[in-house]
Short mmCIF file of all heavy atoms in Angstrom, two decimals:
data_model
loop_
_atom_site.label_atom_id
_atom_site.label_comp_id
_atom_site.label_asym_id
_atom_site.label_seq_id
_atom_site.Cartn_x
_atom_site.Cartn_y
_atom_site.Cartn_z
N MET A 1 -86.50 33.41 157.89
CA MET A 1 -86.38 34.47 156.85
C MET A 1 -87.05 35.71 157.33
O MET A 1 -88.25 35.61 157.66
CB MET A 1 -87.02 34.02 155.55
CG MET A 1 -86.72 34.83 154.37
SD MET A 1 -84.98 34.92 153.80
CE MET A 1 -84.90 33.34 152.90
N LYS A 2 -86.35 36.79 157.22
CA LYS A 2 -87.05 38.15 157.55
C LYS A 2 -87.19 38.87 156.29
O LYS A 2 -86.35 38.92 155.29
CB LYS A 2 -86.14 38.84 158.60
CG LYS A 2 -86.23 38.20 159.91
CD LYS A 2 -86.74 39.05 161.08
CE LYS A 2 -86.66 38.41 162.40
NZ LYS A 2 -88.03 38.51 163.05
N TYR A 3 -88.13 39.81 156.24
CA TYR A 3 -88.28 40.59 155.16
C TYR A 3 -88.54 42.08 155.67
O TYR A 3 -89.03 42.20 156.71
CB TYR A 3 -89.61 40.28 154.49
CG TYR A 3 -89.62 38.80 153.98
CD1 TYR A 3 -90.22 37.78 154.74
CD2 TYR A 3 -89.13 38.49 152.73
CE1 TYR A 3 -90.15 36.46 154.32
CE2 TYR A 3 -89.07 37.12 152.35
CZ TYR A 3 -89.70 36.20 153.08
OH TYR A 3 -89.59 34.86 152.79
N MET A 4 -88.04 43.04 154.78
CA MET A 4 -88.42 44.41 155.00
C MET A 4 -89.42 44.90 154.01
O MET A 4 -89.17 44.76 152.75
CB MET A 4 -87.20 45.26 155.05
CG MET A 4 -87.39 46.71 155.53
SD MET A 4 -85.99 47.85 155.52
CE MET A 4 -86.02 48.10 153.62
N CYS A 5 -90.52 45.56 154.42
CA CYS A 5 -91.47 46.07 153.59
C CYS A 5 -90.96 47.31 153.03
O CYS A 5 -90.49 48.27 153.71
CB CYS A 5 -92.73 46.38 154.27
SG CYS A 5 -94.03 47.05 153.29
N ARG A 6 -90.91 47.48 151.62
CA ARG A 6 -90.35 48.72 151.01
C ARG A 6 -91.43 49.89 151.17
O ARG A 6 -90.93 51.05 151.01
CB ARG A 6 -90.12 48.47 149.51
CG ARG A 6 -88.98 47.43 149.11
CD ARG A 6 -88.70 47.42 147.77
NE ARG A 6 -88.05 46.11 147.30
CZ ARG A 6 -86.71 45.97 147.35
NH1 ARG A 6 -86.00 46.92 147.76
NH2 ARG A 6 -86.31 44.86 146.92
N THR A 7 -92.62 49.60 151.39
CA THR A 7 -93.62 50.69 151.56
C THR A 7 -93.42 51.30 152.76
O THR A 7 -93.46 52.50 152.86
CB THR A 7 -95.06 50.03 151.39
OG1 THR A 7 -95.16 49.22 150.27
CG2 THR A 7 -96.07 51.03 151.32
N CYS A 8 -93.41 50.59 153.93
CA CYS A 8 -93.41 51.15 155.30
C CYS A 8 -92.13 51.01 155.94
O CYS A 8 -91.92 51.50 157.20
CB CYS A 8 -94.65 50.78 156.10
SG CYS A 8 -94.58 49.01 156.40
N LYS A 9 -91.16 50.31 155.34
CA LYS A 9 -89.85 50.21 156.04
C LYS A 9 -89.80 49.47 157.40
O LYS A 9 -88.94 49.61 158.14
CB LYS A 9 -89.16 51.46 156.26
CG LYS A 9 -89.02 52.43 154.97
CD LYS A 9 -88.18 51.90 153.85
CE LYS A 9 -88.19 52.89 152.73
NZ LYS A 9 -87.59 52.20 151.55
N LYS A 10 -90.84 48.61 157.59
CA LYS A 10 -90.88 47.78 158.64
C LYS A 10 -90.50 46.35 158.41
O LYS A 10 -90.71 45.90 157.30
CB LYS A 10 -92.29 47.76 159.33
CG LYS A 10 -92.62 49.02 160.00
CD LYS A 10 -94.05 48.97 160.69
CE LYS A 10 -94.35 50.33 161.28
NZ LYS A 10 -95.81 50.47 161.36
N LYS A 11 -89.88 45.79 159.47
CA LYS A 11 -89.43 44.41 159.26
C LYS A 11 -90.62 43.40 159.66
O LYS A 11 -91.31 43.73 160.60
CB LYS A 11 -88.26 44.09 160.15
CG LYS A 11 -87.00 44.80 159.53
CD LYS A 11 -85.95 44.50 160.59
CE LYS A 11 -84.65 45.33 160.22
NZ LYS A 11 -83.59 45.29 161.19
N CYS A 12 -90.65 42.26 158.98
CA CYS A 12 -91.64 41.25 159.38
C CYS A 12 -91.08 39.90 158.94
O CYS A 12 -90.01 39.84 158.31
CB CYS A 12 -92.89 41.55 158.64
SG CYS A 12 -92.85 41.30 156.90
N ASP A 13 -91.64 38.83 159.49
CA ASP A 13 -91.28 37.53 159.14
C ASP A 13 -92.25 36.88 158.45
O ASP A 13 -92.17 35.65 158.06
CB ASP A 13 -90.66 36.60 160.25
CG ASP A 13 -91.42 36.83 161.46
OD1 ASP A 13 -92.66 36.91 161.45
OD2 ASP A 13 -90.81 36.58 162.66
N ASP A 14 -93.41 37.44 158.24
CA ASP A 14 -94.57 36.85 157.45
C ASP A 14 -95.28 37.91 156.64
O ASP A 14 -95.89 38.77 157.13
CB ASP A 14 -95.56 36.24 158.40
CG ASP A 14 -96.69 35.42 157.82
OD1 ASP A 14 -97.05 35.77 156.58
OD2 ASP A 14 -97.11 34.49 158.42
N ILE A 15 -95.01 37.84 155.39
CA ILE A 15 -95.44 38.88 154.43
C ILE A 15 -97.01 38.99 154.49
O ILE A 15 -97.54 40.11 154.49
CB ILE A 15 -95.01 38.53 152.93
CG1 ILE A 15 -93.51 38.73 152.90
CG2 ILE A 15 -95.80 39.35 151.91
CD1 ILE A 15 -92.79 38.31 151.56
N ILE A 16 -97.71 37.79 154.38
CA ILE A 16 -99.14 37.89 154.32
C ILE A 16 -99.66 38.53 155.73
O ILE A 16 -100.54 39.38 155.60
CB ILE A 16 -99.68 36.45 154.23
CG1 ILE A 16 -99.26 36.00 152.77
CG2 ILE A 16 -101.23 36.47 154.46
CD1 ILE A 16 -99.67 34.60 152.49
N GLU A 17 -99.08 38.16 156.81
CA GLU A 17 -99.50 38.71 158.11
C GLU A 17 -99.37 40.19 158.05
O GLU A 17 -100.02 41.04 158.61
CB GLU A 17 -98.66 38.08 159.23
CG GLU A 17 -99.08 38.30 160.55
CD GLU A 17 -100.45 37.51 160.99
OE1 GLU A 17 -100.64 36.60 160.45
OE2 GLU A 17 -101.10 38.08 161.92
N HIS A 18 -98.17 40.56 157.58
CA HIS A 18 -97.85 42.09 157.50
C HIS A 18 -98.89 42.83 156.67
O HIS A 18 -99.27 43.86 157.08
CB HIS A 18 -96.42 42.27 156.99
CG HIS A 18 -95.97 43.61 156.89
ND1 HIS A 18 -95.39 44.45 157.86
CD2 HIS A 18 -96.15 44.52 155.84
CE1 HIS A 18 -95.14 45.72 157.42
NE2 HIS A 18 -95.50 45.74 156.32
N LEU A 19 -99.13 42.28 155.50
CA LEU A 19 -100.06 42.94 154.59
C LEU A 19 -101.45 43.06 155.25
O LEU A 19 -102.13 44.07 155.09
CB LEU A 19 -100.12 42.06 153.30
CG LEU A 19 -98.98 42.28 152.35
CD1 LEU A 19 -99.13 41.22 151.23
CD2 LEU A 19 -98.73 43.70 151.93
N MET A 20 -101.89 42.07 155.99
CA MET A 20 -103.18 42.07 156.54
C MET A 20 -103.19 43.05 157.86
O MET A 20 -104.22 43.86 157.90
CB MET A 20 -103.54 40.70 157.04
CG MET A 20 -103.95 39.76 155.90
SD MET A 20 -104.87 38.33 156.44
CE MET A 20 -103.67 37.44 157.50
N THR A 21 -102.16 42.98 158.62
CA THR A 21 -102.25 43.87 159.87
C THR A 21 -101.88 45.36 159.63
O THR A 21 -102.48 46.20 160.10
CB THR A 21 -101.41 43.31 160.97
OG1 THR A 21 -100.08 43.10 160.49
CG2 THR A 21 -101.84 41.89 161.48
N VAL A 22 -100.74 45.50 158.82
CA VAL A 22 -100.26 46.86 158.65
C VAL A 22 -101.07 47.63 157.51
O VAL A 22 -101.29 48.81 157.52
CB VAL A 22 -98.68 46.84 158.38
CG1 VAL A 22 -98.30 48.27 158.26
CG2 VAL A 22 -98.06 46.12 159.64
N HIS A 23 -101.24 46.85 156.39
CA HIS A 23 -101.75 47.47 155.11
C HIS A 23 -103.18 47.20 154.96
O HIS A 23 -103.81 47.71 153.95
CB HIS A 23 -100.96 47.21 153.93
CG HIS A 23 -99.52 47.51 153.99
ND1 HIS A 23 -99.20 48.91 154.03
CD2 HIS A 23 -98.35 46.85 154.41
CE1 HIS A 23 -97.79 48.95 154.27
NE2 HIS A 23 -97.36 47.82 154.42
N LYS A 24 -103.81 46.45 155.95
CA LYS A 24 -105.29 46.22 155.84
C LYS A 24 -105.83 45.47 154.67
O LYS A 24 -106.92 45.71 154.17
CB LYS A 24 -106.06 47.53 156.01
CG LYS A 24 -105.63 48.35 157.21
CD LYS A 24 -105.89 47.74 158.50
CE LYS A 24 -105.42 48.52 159.82
NZ LYS A 24 -105.24 47.79 161.05
N PHE A 25 -104.84 44.70 154.04
CA PHE A 25 -105.39 43.80 152.89
C PHE A 25 -106.14 42.73 153.48
O PHE A 25 -105.89 42.22 154.49
CB PHE A 25 -104.01 43.10 152.16
CG PHE A 25 -103.30 44.09 151.23
CD1 PHE A 25 -102.92 45.41 151.61
CD2 PHE A 25 -102.93 43.51 150.05
CE1 PHE A 25 -102.25 46.20 150.66
CE2 PHE A 25 -102.21 44.32 149.08
CZ PHE A 25 -101.92 45.64 149.48
N SER A 26 -107.23 42.28 152.60
CA SER A 26 -107.90 41.18 153.11
C SER A 26 -107.20 39.89 152.71
O SER A 26 -106.55 39.84 151.69
CB SER A 26 -109.37 41.27 152.68
OG SER A 26 -109.39 40.83 151.32
N LYS A 27 -107.46 38.85 153.55
CA LYS A 27 -106.78 37.56 153.17
C LYS A 27 -107.25 37.14 151.87
O LYS A 27 -106.44 36.54 151.01
CB LYS A 27 -107.16 36.52 154.25
CG LYS A 27 -106.26 35.34 154.16
CD LYS A 27 -106.38 34.49 155.36
CE LYS A 27 -105.32 33.39 155.29
NZ LYS A 27 -105.28 32.57 156.54
N THR A 28 -108.50 37.35 151.50
CA THR A 28 -109.07 36.91 150.13
C THR A 28 -108.27 37.69 148.93
O THR A 28 -108.00 36.94 147.99
CB THR A 28 -110.61 37.39 150.09
OG1 THR A 28 -111.16 37.07 151.32
CG2 THR A 28 -111.25 36.45 148.95
N THR A 29 -108.02 39.09 149.09
CA THR A 29 -107.30 39.70 148.12
C THR A 29 -105.92 39.19 148.03
O THR A 29 -105.52 38.95 146.86
CB THR A 29 -107.25 41.16 148.62
OG1 THR A 29 -108.57 41.66 148.83
CG2 THR A 29 -106.55 42.02 147.53
N ILE A 30 -105.25 38.97 149.11
CA ILE A 30 -103.83 38.43 149.15
C ILE A 30 -103.84 37.01 148.35
O ILE A 30 -103.01 36.76 147.49
CB ILE A 30 -103.21 38.34 150.49
CG1 ILE A 30 -103.17 39.74 151.08
CG2 ILE A 30 -101.83 37.77 150.45
CD1 ILE A 30 -102.96 39.77 152.59
N GLU A 31 -104.76 36.17 148.75
CA GLU A 31 -104.73 34.76 148.21
C GLU A 31 -105.10 34.78 146.71
O GLU A 31 -104.43 34.10 145.90
CB GLU A 31 -105.69 33.92 149.00
CG GLU A 31 -105.12 33.48 150.34
CD GLU A 31 -106.05 32.74 151.24
OE1 GLU A 31 -107.29 32.72 150.91
OE2 GLU A 31 -105.61 32.19 152.27
N SER A 32 -106.00 35.63 146.36
CA SER A 32 -106.21 35.65 144.86
C SER A 32 -105.07 36.30 144.06
O SER A 32 -104.71 35.81 142.95
CB SER A 32 -107.57 36.33 144.60
OG SER A 32 -107.48 37.74 144.94
N GLN A 33 -104.45 37.19 144.59
CA GLN A 33 -103.32 37.81 143.90
C GLN A 33 -102.14 36.84 143.91
O GLN A 33 -101.41 36.66 142.87
CB GLN A 33 -102.68 39.02 144.72
CG GLN A 33 -103.63 40.23 144.57
CD GLN A 33 -102.78 41.54 144.67
OE1 GLN A 33 -101.61 41.59 144.09
NE2 GLN A 33 -103.40 42.52 145.30
N LEU A 34 -101.96 36.01 144.98
CA LEU A 34 -100.90 35.06 144.98
C LEU A 34 -101.24 33.81 143.95
O LEU A 34 -100.27 33.22 143.35
CB LEU A 34 -100.55 34.44 146.48
CG LEU A 34 -99.95 35.46 147.31
CD1 LEU A 34 -99.92 34.77 148.70
CD2 LEU A 34 -98.53 35.61 146.88
N LYS A 35 -102.48 33.56 143.81
CA LYS A 35 -102.92 32.52 142.92
C LYS A 35 -102.60 32.97 141.47
O LYS A 35 -102.21 32.19 140.67
CB LYS A 35 -104.32 32.16 143.18
CG LYS A 35 -104.69 30.84 142.66
CD LYS A 35 -106.22 30.56 143.00
CE LYS A 35 -106.32 29.99 144.46
NZ LYS A 35 -107.73 29.55 144.68
N ALA A 36 -102.85 34.20 141.21
CA ALA A 36 -102.65 34.71 139.98
C ALA A 36 -101.22 34.85 139.67
O ALA A 36 -100.69 34.57 138.44
CB ALA A 36 -103.26 36.10 139.71
N ASN A 37 -100.35 35.13 140.57
CA ASN A 37 -98.91 35.33 140.43
C ASN A 37 -98.23 35.16 141.86
O ASN A 37 -98.30 36.00 142.72
CB ASN A 37 -98.53 36.81 139.97
CG ASN A 37 -97.10 36.94 139.85
OD1 ASN A 37 -96.32 35.97 140.06
ND2 ASN A 37 -96.66 38.17 139.54
N PRO A 38 -97.57 33.92 141.94
CA PRO A 38 -96.93 33.68 143.30
C PRO A 38 -95.90 34.69 143.69
O PRO A 38 -95.54 34.74 144.90
CB PRO A 38 -96.37 32.21 143.05
CG PRO A 38 -97.07 31.69 141.93
CD PRO A 38 -97.39 32.86 141.01
N ASN A 39 -95.34 35.41 142.82
CA ASN A 39 -94.33 36.39 143.14
C ASN A 39 -94.91 37.82 143.21
O ASN A 39 -94.16 38.91 143.35
CB ASN A 39 -93.21 36.40 142.13
CG ASN A 39 -92.65 35.11 141.99
OD1 ASN A 39 -92.30 34.34 142.97
ND2 ASN A 39 -92.40 34.52 140.76
N SER A 40 -96.25 37.88 143.42
CA SER A 40 -96.82 39.29 143.45
C SER A 40 -96.22 40.27 144.36
O SER A 40 -96.18 41.41 144.06
CB SER A 40 -98.29 38.96 143.91
OG SER A 40 -99.08 38.29 143.08
N PHE A 41 -95.87 39.85 145.55
CA PHE A 41 -95.40 40.72 146.59
C PHE A 41 -93.89 40.71 146.70
O PHE A 41 -93.36 41.50 147.50
CB PHE A 41 -96.05 40.38 147.91
CG PHE A 41 -97.60 40.27 147.84
CD1 PHE A 41 -98.39 39.20 147.95
CD2 PHE A 41 -98.29 41.51 147.60
CE1 PHE A 41 -99.70 39.15 147.92
CE2 PHE A 41 -99.74 41.56 147.60
CZ PHE A 41 -100.40 40.41 147.61
N ASN A 42 -93.18 39.81 145.93
CA ASN A 42 -91.82 39.80 146.14
C ASN A 42 -91.03 41.29 145.85
O ASN A 42 -90.05 41.52 146.61
CB ASN A 42 -91.09 38.79 145.19
CG ASN A 42 -91.47 37.35 145.55
OD1 ASN A 42 -92.24 37.16 146.50
ND2 ASN A 42 -90.75 36.39 145.03
N HIS A 43 -91.55 41.97 144.97
CA HIS A 43 -90.97 43.19 144.67
C HIS A 43 -91.16 44.33 145.93
O HIS A 43 -90.45 45.24 145.92
CB HIS A 43 -91.47 43.82 143.34
CG HIS A 43 -92.85 44.17 143.37
ND1 HIS A 43 -93.85 43.26 143.39
CD2 HIS A 43 -93.44 45.38 143.58
CE1 HIS A 43 -95.07 43.87 143.38
NE2 HIS A 43 -94.80 45.09 143.51
N ALA A 44 -92.15 43.97 146.66
CA ALA A 44 -92.55 45.00 147.64
C ALA A 44 -91.71 44.72 148.92
O ALA A 44 -91.82 45.49 149.83
CB ALA A 44 -94.04 44.87 147.93
N PHE A 45 -91.04 43.56 148.98
CA PHE A 45 -90.39 43.25 150.29
C PHE A 45 -88.92 42.83 149.91
O PHE A 45 -88.58 42.11 148.95
CB PHE A 45 -91.02 41.95 150.88
CG PHE A 45 -92.39 42.26 151.61
CD1 PHE A 45 -93.49 42.24 150.82
CD2 PHE A 45 -92.37 42.59 152.88
CE1 PHE A 45 -94.72 42.67 151.31
CE2 PHE A 45 -93.67 42.91 153.50
CZ PHE A 45 -94.80 42.95 152.73
N GLU A 46 -88.01 43.28 150.79
CA GLU A 46 -86.70 42.97 150.64
C GLU A 46 -86.25 41.83 151.59
O GLU A 46 -86.67 41.93 152.70
CB GLU A 46 -85.82 44.20 150.93
CG GLU A 46 -84.38 44.11 150.63
CD GLU A 46 -83.69 45.51 150.89
OE1 GLU A 46 -84.29 46.54 150.62
OE2 GLU A 46 -82.53 45.32 151.26
N LYS A 47 -85.62 40.78 151.15
CA LYS A 47 -85.18 39.79 151.93
C LYS A 47 -83.98 40.24 152.82
O LYS A 47 -83.07 40.79 152.31
CB LYS A 47 -84.77 38.52 151.15
CG LYS A 47 -85.97 37.64 150.75
CD LYS A 47 -85.46 36.51 149.99
CE LYS A 47 -86.63 35.73 149.45
NZ LYS A 47 -86.18 34.62 148.48
N LEU A 48 -84.07 39.88 154.13
CA LEU A 48 -82.91 40.30 155.01
C LEU A 48 -82.37 38.79 155.53
O LEU A 48 -83.08 37.88 155.59
CB LEU A 48 -83.50 41.00 156.17
CG LEU A 48 -84.33 42.22 155.92
CD1 LEU A 48 -84.84 42.74 157.19
CD2 LEU A 48 -83.41 43.33 155.38
N GLU A 49 -81.07 38.90 155.68
CA GLU A 49 -80.39 37.63 156.16
C GLU A 49 -80.76 37.35 157.51
O GLU A 49 -80.90 38.24 158.40
CB GLU A 49 -78.91 37.91 156.10
CG GLU A 49 -78.41 38.03 154.65
CD GLU A 49 -78.55 36.79 153.77
OE1 GLU A 49 -78.48 35.72 154.37
OE2 GLU A 49 -78.86 36.97 152.61
ZN1 ZN B 101 -95.46 47.47 155.11
#
């Protein structure tokens, strides 16, 4: 599964990896957001076939 980030228009195949490397999110931040809402980042990424 590939995703395109709506923020920077780059493709990636791992949303968490992308958020950490490109957008400098910390893993702790991402994990706590996902725990609160597993769909937290879905709106920010477009699924590509
Ligand atoms: Zn991005």
Side-chain angles (χ1 to χ4, degrees):
M1 186 72 76
K2 293 238 178 234
Y3 303 93
M4 189 188 71
C5 177
R6 294 187 202 272
T7 308
C8 63
K9 311 288 183 198
K10 282 182 185 157
K11 290 176 189 174
C12 65
D13 46 30
D14 187 327
I15 289 174
I16 294 175
E17 189 77 24
H18 178 88
L19 289 172
M20 288 195 297
T21 56
V22 181
H23 300 287
K24 310 295 183 200
F25 280 47
S26 77
K27 195 169 189 174
T28 320
T29 304
I30 297 167
E31 283 175 347
S32 65
Q33 286 208 43
L34 285 175
K35 202 173 273 183
N37 176 7
N39 300 317
S40 296
F41 303 110
N42 286 11
H43 66 283
F45 289 84
E46 187 176 326
K47 278 183 190 170
L48 303 173
E49 295 296 323

